[in-house]
Amino acid sequence: MTATTIHVCSLTKLEETVALTGARHVITLINAGTPMRLPTTISHENHLFLAMHDIVETVDGMTPPGEIHVAQMLEWVKDWDRTTPLVVHCFAGISRSTAAAYTLVSALNPWRDEAALATLLRQRAPSATPNRRIVEIADRLLGRDGRMVTAIDAIGRGADAFEGTPFALEIEAAR
């Protein structure tokens, strides 16, 4: 297994990020019905679409991130061969996608310290405000005993922004 990266961006930066990174796998976390175009270099079998709203509490008429979403993402990423980067995006590149990237790095590198990874996330993405519901579910599914949630709570809300700046987190080679 080789080290590679997970790139995070907004919907408006998706095509640019895929082109710049050479990614061939994409995870999308946006509301159902949001217009989007998958870059032509991404095959449909290399695209995971998770329809959810960026909410933490249940709201009538909206789809909160659920265990099925996080479990599906964790299962899907097992087929990523890591020969090219993975791009994870949501609408703004601030909440759902940053939570997903944090989750994926935690899953693929189970030895990494949750607090150090959260601090690295904040350094790379000052506006990141990872969706707490996604992190809570991932923490439980990955058996992290609350450490992921504690780490994300410790970095707090990110800087105000309409759209996050694209960034990357590295996946370390297996130990």
Side-chain angles (χ1 to χ4, degrees), residues 88-124:
V88 178
H89 79 96
C90 60
F91 188 78
I94 292 174
S95 182
R96 290 167 285 187
S97 58
T98 60
Y102 180 73
T103 295
L104 293 171
V105 173
S106 296
L108 295 169
N109 288 167
W111 58 85
R112 288 180 75 173
D113 178 76
E114 297 85 357
L117 183 56
T119 299
L120 179 63
L121 174 69
R122 168 61 69 237
Q123 290 168 352
R124 301 271 172 91

Side-chain angles (χ1 to χ4, degrees), residues 8-76:
V8 178
C9 67
S10 64
L11 177 58
T12 64
K13 302 285 187 198
L14 177 60
E15 287 195 49
E16 174 185 332
T17 302
V18 166
L20 287 172
T21 64
R24 294 294 174 260
H25 293 77
V26 170
I27 297 176
T28 299
L29 302 97
I30 57 176
N31 306 353
T34 300
M36 73 162 284
R37 188 175 77 192
L38 190 62
T40 58
T41 56
I42 305 297
S43 66
H44 287 284
E45 54 272 1
N46 289 343
H47 179 228
L48 176 63
F49 183 89
L50 298 171
M52 67 179 77
H53 289 88
D54 186 19
I55 56 176
V56 177
E57 301 296 328
T58 302
V59 176
D60 285 344
M62 299 181 94
T63 304
E67 185 169 326
I68 187 113
H69 297 115
V70 178
Q72 188 177 1
M73 180 176 63
L74 291 170
E75 186 60 32
W76 185 87

Side-chain angles (χ1 to χ4, degrees), residues 92-95 98 122 124-130 157-161 163-165:
I94 292 174
S95 182
T98 60
R122 168 61 69 237
R124 301 271 172 91
S127 66
T129 305
R157 178 179 165 80
D160 287 341
E163 180 178 59
T165 302

